[in-house]
PDB file of all heavy atoms in Angstrom:
ATOM      1  N   ALA A 185       8.871   6.879   1.973  1.00 98.00           N
ATOM      2  CA  ALA A 185       7.832   5.967   1.485  1.00 98.00           C
ATOM      3  C   ALA A 185       6.478   6.672   1.485  1.00 98.00           C
ATOM      4  O   ALA A 185       6.158   7.427   2.403  1.00 98.00           O
ATOM      5  CB  ALA A 185       7.775   4.728   2.361  1.00 98.00           C
ATOM      6  N   MET A 186       5.690   6.377   0.463  1.00 98.00           N
ATOM      7  CA  MET A 186       4.362   6.973   0.327  1.00 98.00           C
ATOM      8  C   MET A 186       3.237   5.983   0.586  1.00 98.00           C
ATOM      9  O   MET A 186       2.070   6.349   0.611  1.00 98.00           O
ATOM     10  CB  MET A 186       4.218   7.550  -1.079  1.00 98.00           C
ATOM     11  CG  MET A 186       5.170   8.699  -1.357  1.00 98.00           C
ATOM     12  SD  MET A 186       4.781  10.158  -0.384  1.00 98.00           S
ATOM     13  CE  MET A 186       3.253  10.636  -1.165  1.00 98.00           C
ATOM     14  N   LEU A 187       3.587   4.710   0.769  1.00 98.00           N
ATOM     15  CA  LEU A 187       2.602   3.659   1.034  1.00 98.00           C
ATOM     16  C   LEU A 187       3.276   2.623   1.910  1.00 98.00           C
ATOM     17  O   LEU A 187       4.403   2.216   1.634  1.00 98.00           O
ATOM     18  CB  LEU A 187       2.154   3.008  -0.282  1.00 98.00           C
ATOM     19  CG  LEU A 187       1.148   1.862  -0.158  1.00 98.00           C
ATOM     20  CD1 LEU A 187      -0.267   2.421  -0.105  1.00 98.00           C
ATOM     21  CD2 LEU A 187       1.282   0.884  -1.312  1.00 98.00           C
ATOM     22  N   GLY A 188       2.587   2.222   2.973  1.00 98.00           N
ATOM     23  CA  GLY A 188       3.068   1.162   3.836  1.00 98.00           C
ATOM     24  C   GLY A 188       1.990   0.121   4.031  1.00 98.00           C
ATOM     25  O   GLY A 188       0.940   0.168   3.377  1.00 98.00           O
ATOM     26  N   ASP A 189       2.235  -0.812   4.945  1.00 98.00           N
ATOM     27  CA  ASP A 189       1.290  -1.913   5.116  1.00 98.00           C
ATOM     28  C   ASP A 189      -0.080  -1.456   5.590  1.00 98.00           C
ATOM     29  O   ASP A 189      -1.096  -2.011   5.177  1.00 98.00           O
ATOM     30  CB  ASP A 189       1.867  -3.005   6.016  1.00 98.00           C
ATOM     31  CG  ASP A 189       2.230  -2.534   7.413  1.00 98.00           C
ATOM     32  OD1 ASP A 189       2.257  -1.312   7.681  1.00 98.00           O
ATOM     33  OD2 ASP A 189       2.521  -3.413   8.252  1.00 98.00           O
ATOM     34  N   GLN A 190      -0.163  -0.433   6.415  1.00 98.00           N
ATOM     35  CA  GLN A 190      -1.461   0.033   6.900  1.00 98.00           C
ATOM     36  C   GLN A 190      -2.306   0.609   5.776  1.00 98.00           C
ATOM     37  O   GLN A 190      -3.505   0.335   5.681  1.00 98.00           O
ATOM     38  CB  GLN A 190      -1.286   1.061   8.011  1.00 98.00           C
ATOM     39  CG  GLN A 190      -0.686   0.471   9.277  1.00 98.00           C
ATOM     40  CD  GLN A 190      -0.459   1.521  10.350  1.00 98.00           C
ATOM     41  OE1 GLN A 190      -0.863   2.682  10.211  1.00 98.00           O
ATOM     42  NE2 GLN A 190       0.192   1.130  11.428  1.00 98.00           N
ATOM     43  N   LEU A 191      -1.678   1.389   4.903  1.00 98.00           N
ATOM     44  CA  LEU A 191      -2.427   1.961   3.783  1.00 98.00           C
ATOM     45  C   LEU A 191      -2.773   0.897   2.742  1.00 98.00           C
ATOM     46  O   LEU A 191      -3.862   0.920   2.167  1.00 98.00           O
ATOM     47  CB  LEU A 191      -1.652   3.106   3.134  1.00 98.00           C
ATOM     48  CG  LEU A 191      -1.340   4.306   4.028  1.00 98.00           C
ATOM     49  CD1 LEU A 191      -0.825   5.468   3.196  1.00 98.00           C
ATOM     50  CD2 LEU A 191      -2.529   4.727   4.858  1.00 98.00           C
ATOM     51  N   ALA A 192      -1.851  -0.033   2.512  1.00 98.00           N
ATOM     52  CA  ALA A 192      -2.146  -1.132   1.577  1.00 98.00           C
ATOM     53  C   ALA A 192      -3.329  -1.950   2.087  1.00 98.00           C
ATOM     54  O   ALA A 192      -4.202  -2.351   1.306  1.00 98.00           O
ATOM     55  CB  ALA A 192      -0.920  -2.011   1.382  1.00 98.00           C
ATOM     56  N   LEU A 193      -3.377  -2.188   3.392  1.00 98.00           N
ATOM     57  CA  LEU A 193      -4.492  -2.935   3.973  1.00 98.00           C
ATOM     58  C   LEU A 193      -5.809  -2.177   3.802  1.00 98.00           C
ATOM     59  O   LEU A 193      -6.855  -2.789   3.547  1.00 98.00           O
ATOM     60  CB  LEU A 193      -4.221  -3.245   5.444  1.00 98.00           C
ATOM     61  CG  LEU A 193      -5.225  -4.166   6.125  1.00 98.00           C
ATOM     62  CD1 LEU A 193      -5.351  -5.501   5.400  1.00 98.00           C
ATOM     63  CD2 LEU A 193      -4.823  -4.385   7.581  1.00 98.00           C
ATOM     64  N   LEU A 194      -5.774  -0.854   3.925  1.00 98.00           N
ATOM     65  CA  LEU A 194      -6.979  -0.060   3.631  1.00 98.00           C
ATOM     66  C   LEU A 194      -7.435  -0.306   2.191  1.00 98.00           C
ATOM     67  O   LEU A 194      -8.632  -0.432   1.928  1.00 98.00           O
ATOM     68  CB  LEU A 194      -6.699   1.433   3.810  1.00 98.00           C
ATOM     69  CG  LEU A 194      -6.670   1.982   5.211  1.00 98.00           C
ATOM     70  CD1 LEU A 194      -6.229   3.447   5.189  1.00 98.00           C
ATOM     71  CD2 LEU A 194      -8.028   1.849   5.876  1.00 98.00           C
ATOM     72  N   GLY A 195      -6.475  -0.353   1.276  1.00 98.00           N
ATOM     73  CA  GLY A 195      -6.805  -0.624  -0.124  1.00 98.00           C
ATOM     74  C   GLY A 195      -7.462  -1.977  -0.308  1.00 98.00           C
ATOM     75  O   GLY A 195      -8.441  -2.112  -1.044  1.00 98.00           O
ATOM     76  N   VAL A 196      -6.939  -2.991   0.385  1.00 98.00           N
ATOM     77  CA  VAL A 196      -7.529  -4.329   0.316  1.00 98.00           C
ATOM     78  C   VAL A 196      -8.956  -4.300   0.852  1.00 98.00           C
ATOM     79  O   VAL A 196      -9.891  -4.781   0.207  1.00 98.00           O
ATOM     80  CB  VAL A 196      -6.677  -5.352   1.108  1.00 98.00           C
ATOM     81  CG1 VAL A 196      -7.391  -6.696   1.207  1.00 98.00           C
ATOM     82  CG2 VAL A 196      -5.301  -5.521   0.473  1.00 98.00           C
ATOM     83  N   LYS A 197      -9.127  -3.729   2.042  1.00 98.00           N
ATOM     84  CA  LYS A 197     -10.444  -3.706   2.701  1.00 98.00           C
ATOM     85  C   LYS A 197     -11.478  -2.930   1.909  1.00 98.00           C
ATOM     86  O   LYS A 197     -12.677  -3.216   1.992  1.00 98.00           O
ATOM     87  CB  LYS A 197     -10.316  -3.111   4.102  1.00 98.00           C
ATOM     88  CG  LYS A 197      -9.602  -4.009   5.082  1.00 98.00           C
ATOM     89  CD  LYS A 197      -9.502  -3.368   6.451  1.00 98.00           C
ATOM     90  CE  LYS A 197      -8.829  -4.294   7.439  1.00 98.00           C
ATOM     91  NZ  LYS A 197      -8.670  -3.676   8.775  1.00 98.00           N
ATOM     92  N   ASN A 198     -11.028  -1.936   1.147  1.00 98.00           N
ATOM     93  CA  ASN A 198     -11.964  -1.084   0.409  1.00 98.00           C
ATOM     94  C   ASN A 198     -12.072  -1.424  -1.069  1.00 98.00           C
ATOM     95  O   ASN A 198     -12.653  -0.665  -1.843  1.00 98.00           O
ATOM     96  CB  ASN A 198     -11.606   0.389   0.615  1.00 98.00           C
ATOM     97  CG  ASN A 198     -11.923   0.828   2.033  1.00 98.00           C
ATOM     98  OD1 ASN A 198     -13.030   0.631   2.519  1.00 98.00           O
ATOM     99  ND2 ASN A 198     -10.936   1.387   2.717  1.00 98.00           N
ATOM    100  N   GLY A 199     -11.524  -2.569  -1.476  1.00 98.00           N
ATOM    101  CA  GLY A 199     -11.764  -3.083  -2.818  1.00 98.00           C
ATOM    102  C   GLY A 199     -10.956  -2.462  -3.940  1.00 98.00           C
ATOM    103  O   GLY A 199     -11.377  -2.496  -5.092  1.00 98.00           O
ATOM    104  N   TRP A 200      -9.777  -1.919  -3.632  1.00 98.00           N
ATOM    105  CA  TRP A 200      -8.899  -1.404  -4.682  1.00 98.00           C
ATOM    106  C   TRP A 200      -8.163  -2.571  -5.328  1.00 98.00           C
ATOM    107  O   TRP A 200      -7.712  -3.483  -4.650  1.00 98.00           O
ATOM    108  CB  TRP A 200      -7.896  -0.407  -4.102  1.00 98.00           C
ATOM    109  CG  TRP A 200      -8.542   0.875  -3.695  1.00 98.00           C
ATOM    110  CD1 TRP A 200      -9.135   1.148  -2.488  1.00 98.00           C
ATOM    111  CD2 TRP A 200      -8.702   2.039  -4.488  1.00 98.00           C
ATOM    112  NE1 TRP A 200      -9.653   2.419  -2.499  1.00 98.00           N
ATOM    113  CE2 TRP A 200      -9.398   2.986  -3.719  1.00 98.00           C
ATOM    114  CE3 TRP A 200      -8.314   2.379  -5.784  1.00 98.00           C
ATOM    115  CZ2 TRP A 200      -9.722   4.255  -4.201  1.00 98.00           C
ATOM    116  CZ3 TRP A 200      -8.634   3.637  -6.266  1.00 98.00           C
ATOM    117  CH2 TRP A 200      -9.322   4.562  -5.473  1.00 98.00           C
ATOM    118  N   ALA A 201      -8.032  -2.542  -6.656  1.00 98.00           N
ATOM    119  CA  ALA A 201      -7.300  -3.601  -7.362  1.00 98.00           C
ATOM    120  C   ALA A 201      -5.807  -3.426  -7.190  1.00 98.00           C
ATOM    121  O   ALA A 201      -5.067  -4.416  -7.105  1.00 98.00           O
ATOM    122  CB  ALA A 201      -7.650  -3.605  -8.848  1.00 98.00           C
ATOM    123  N   GLY A 202      -5.350  -2.162  -7.170  1.00 98.00           N
ATOM    124  CA  GLY A 202      -3.918  -1.949  -7.069  1.00 98.00           C
ATOM    125  C   GLY A 202      -3.537  -0.500  -6.922  1.00 98.00           C
ATOM    126  O   GLY A 202      -4.380   0.406  -6.985  1.00 98.00           O
ATOM    127  N   VAL A 203      -2.224  -0.306  -6.726  1.00 98.00           N
ATOM    128  CA  VAL A 203      -1.629   1.020  -6.606  1.00 98.00           C
ATOM    129  C   VAL A 203      -0.365   1.040  -7.467  1.00 98.00           C
ATOM    130  O   VAL A 203       0.464   0.136  -7.373  1.00 98.00           O
ATOM    131  CB  VAL A 203      -1.245   1.345  -5.146  1.00 98.00           C
ATOM    132  CG1 VAL A 203      -0.545   2.705  -5.056  1.00 98.00           C
ATOM    133  CG2 VAL A 203      -2.462   1.294  -4.225  1.00 98.00           C
ATOM    134  N   ILE A 204      -0.251   2.064  -8.298  1.00 98.00           N
ATOM    135  CA  ILE A 204       0.981   2.333  -9.029  1.00 98.00           C
ATOM    136  C   ILE A 204       1.599   3.548  -8.346  1.00 98.00           C
ATOM    137  O   ILE A 204       1.004   4.632  -8.356  1.00 98.00           O
ATOM    138  CB  ILE A 204       0.711   2.641 -10.523  1.00 98.00           C
ATOM    139  CG1 ILE A 204      -0.029   1.502 -11.207  1.00 98.00           C
ATOM    140  CG2 ILE A 204       2.013   3.001 -11.236  1.00 98.00           C
ATOM    141  CD1 ILE A 204       0.776   0.256 -11.426  1.00 98.00           C
ATOM    142  N   MET A 205       2.769   3.367  -7.744  1.00 98.00           N
ATOM    143  CA  MET A 205       3.401   4.431  -6.966  1.00 98.00           C
ATOM    144  C   MET A 205       4.674   4.899  -7.674  1.00 98.00           C
ATOM    145  O   MET A 205       5.680   4.183  -7.686  1.00 98.00           O
ATOM    146  CB  MET A 205       3.740   3.913  -5.568  1.00 98.00           C
ATOM    147  CG  MET A 205       4.393   4.940  -4.665  1.00 98.00           C
ATOM    148  SD  MET A 205       3.360   6.384  -4.316  1.00 98.00           S
ATOM    149  CE  MET A 205       2.065   5.643  -3.329  1.00 98.00           C
ATOM    150  N   TYR A 206       4.615   6.096  -8.249  1.00 98.00           N
ATOM    151  CA  TYR A 206       5.809   6.697  -8.838  1.00 98.00           C
ATOM    152  C   TYR A 206       6.592   7.349  -7.700  1.00 98.00           C
ATOM    153  O   TYR A 206       6.662   8.556  -7.545  1.00 98.00           O
ATOM    154  CB  TYR A 206       5.414   7.699  -9.919  1.00 98.00           C
ATOM    155  CG  TYR A 206       6.587   8.326 -10.635  1.00 98.00           C
ATOM    156  CD1 TYR A 206       7.612   7.552 -11.152  1.00 98.00           C
ATOM    157  CD2 TYR A 206       6.657   9.708 -10.803  1.00 98.00           C
ATOM    158  CE1 TYR A 206       8.687   8.127 -11.810  1.00 98.00           C
ATOM    159  CE2 TYR A 206       7.728  10.293 -11.461  1.00 98.00           C
ATOM    160  CZ  TYR A 206       8.738   9.499 -11.953  1.00 98.00           C
ATOM    161  OH  TYR A 206       9.805  10.072 -12.599  1.00 98.00           O
ATOM    162  N   GLY A 207       7.117   6.469  -6.866  1.00 98.00           N
ATOM    163  CA  GLY A 207       7.832   6.812  -5.653  1.00 98.00           C
ATOM    164  C   GLY A 207       8.111   5.522  -4.909  1.00 98.00           C
ATOM    165  O   GLY A 207       8.130   4.446  -5.515  1.00 98.00           O
ATOM    166  N   CYS A 208       8.285   5.623  -3.601  1.00 98.00           N
ATOM    167  CA  CYS A 208       8.666   4.456  -2.788  1.00 98.00           C
ATOM    168  C   CYS A 208       7.540   3.984  -1.882  1.00 98.00           C
ATOM    169  O   CYS A 208       6.626   4.732  -1.559  1.00 98.00           O
ATOM    170  CB  CYS A 208       9.874   4.806  -1.915  1.00 98.00           C
ATOM    171  SG  CYS A 208      11.373   5.155  -2.837  1.00 98.00           S
ATOM    172  N   ILE A 209       7.667   2.729  -1.473  1.00 98.00           N
ATOM    173  CA  ILE A 209       6.799   2.143  -0.459  1.00 98.00           C
ATOM    174  C   ILE A 209       7.680   1.612   0.666  1.00 98.00           C
ATOM    175  O   ILE A 209       8.899   1.570   0.539  1.00 98.00           O
ATOM    176  CB  ILE A 209       5.923   0.998  -1.019  1.00 98.00           C
ATOM    177  CG1 ILE A 209       6.798  -0.207  -1.396  1.00 98.00           C
ATOM    178  CG2 ILE A 209       5.095   1.485  -2.199  1.00 98.00           C
ATOM    179  CD1 ILE A 209       6.071  -1.515  -1.391  1.00 98.00           C
ATOM    180  N   ARG A 210       7.054   1.190   1.759  1.00 98.00           N
ATOM    181  CA  ARG A 210       7.764   0.495   2.826  1.00 98.00           C
ATOM    182  C   ARG A 210       6.897  -0.655   3.302  1.00 98.00           C
ATOM    183  O   ARG A 210       5.792  -0.835   2.811  1.00 98.00           O
ATOM    184  CB  ARG A 210       8.147   1.444   3.958  1.00 98.00           C
ATOM    185  CG  ARG A 210       6.989   2.021   4.731  1.00 98.00           C
ATOM    186  CD  ARG A 210       7.510   3.068   5.682  1.00 98.00           C
ATOM    187  NE  ARG A 210       6.609   3.289   6.800  1.00 98.00           N
ATOM    188  CZ  ARG A 210       6.958   3.919   7.898  1.00 98.00           C
ATOM    189  NH1 ARG A 210       8.178   4.377   8.043  1.00 98.00           N
ATOM    190  NH2 ARG A 210       6.092   4.106   8.859  1.00 98.00           N
ATOM    191  N   ASP A 211       7.401  -1.435   4.230  1.00 98.00           N
ATOM    192  CA  ASP A 211       6.678  -2.632   4.707  1.00 98.00           C
ATOM    193  C   ASP A 211       6.442  -3.614   3.568  1.00 98.00           C
ATOM    194  O   ASP A 211       5.369  -4.212   3.443  1.00 98.00           O
ATOM    195  CB  ASP A 211       5.345  -2.254   5.375  1.00 98.00           C
ATOM    196  CG  ASP A 211       5.507  -1.262   6.517  1.00 98.00           C
ATOM    197  OD1 ASP A 211       6.406  -1.484   7.362  1.00 98.00           O
ATOM    198  OD2 ASP A 211       4.738  -0.281   6.570  1.00 98.00           O
ATOM    199  N   SER A 212       7.443  -3.785   2.727  1.00 98.00           N
ATOM    200  CA  SER A 212       7.282  -4.624   1.537  1.00 98.00           C
ATOM    201  C   SER A 212       6.994  -6.078   1.883  1.00 98.00           C
ATOM    202  O   SER A 212       6.282  -6.752   1.136  1.00 98.00           O
ATOM    203  CB  SER A 212       8.507  -4.518   0.634  1.00 98.00           C
ATOM    204  OG  SER A 212       9.673  -4.953   1.292  1.00 98.00           O
ATOM    205  N   GLY A 213       7.516  -6.584   2.991  1.00 98.00           N
ATOM    206  CA  GLY A 213       7.239  -7.969   3.394  1.00 98.00           C
ATOM    207  C   GLY A 213       5.763  -8.210   3.622  1.00 98.00           C
ATOM    208  O   GLY A 213       5.161  -9.090   2.985  1.00 98.00           O
ATOM    209  N   PRO A 214       5.119  -7.448   4.523  1.00 98.00           N
ATOM    210  CA  PRO A 214       3.677  -7.637   4.727  1.00 98.00           C
ATOM    211  C   PRO A 214       2.845  -7.359   3.470  1.00 98.00           C
ATOM    212  O   PRO A 214       1.863  -8.055   3.204  1.00 98.00           O
ATOM    213  CB  PRO A 214       3.335  -6.640   5.837  1.00 98.00           C
ATOM    214  CG  PRO A 214       4.623  -6.433   6.576  1.00 98.00           C
ATOM    215  CD  PRO A 214       5.690  -6.545   5.527  1.00 98.00           C
ATOM    216  N   ILE A 215       3.223  -6.357   2.689  1.00 98.00           N
ATOM    217  CA  ILE A 215       2.461  -6.021   1.484  1.00 98.00           C
ATOM    218  C   ILE A 215       2.488  -7.171   0.480  1.00 98.00           C
ATOM    219  O   ILE A 215       1.500  -7.424  -0.218  1.00 98.00           O
ATOM    220  CB  ILE A 215       2.968  -4.701   0.865  1.00 98.00           C
ATOM    221  CG1 ILE A 215       2.583  -3.529   1.773  1.00 98.00           C
ATOM    222  CG2 ILE A 215       2.434  -4.502  -0.548  1.00 98.00           C
ATOM    223  CD1 ILE A 215       3.173  -2.197   1.370  1.00 98.00           C
ATOM    224  N   ALA A 216       3.588  -7.911   0.441  1.00 98.00           N
ATOM    225  CA  ALA A 216       3.700  -9.046  -0.486  1.00 98.00           C
ATOM    226  C   ALA A 216       2.656 -10.119  -0.211  1.00 98.00           C
ATOM    227  O   ALA A 216       2.303 -10.883  -1.104  1.00 98.00           O
ATOM    228  CB  ALA A 216       5.105  -9.653  -0.409  1.00 98.00           C
ATOM    229  N   GLY A 217       2.132 -10.171   1.004  1.00 98.00           N
ATOM    230  CA  GLY A 217       1.117 -11.160   1.356  1.00 98.00           C
ATOM    231  C   GLY A 217      -0.311 -10.651   1.231  1.00 98.00           C
ATOM    232  O   GLY A 217      -1.252 -11.373   1.581  1.00 98.00           O
TER     233      GLY A 217
END
């Protein structure tokens, strides 16, 4: 995985609209929220 809940939360806190990952993520449950 190249993105998990901690990195996704950084994206939220820093105002990113989204991430397109040509690869895998993890922590999909928390990221969905």
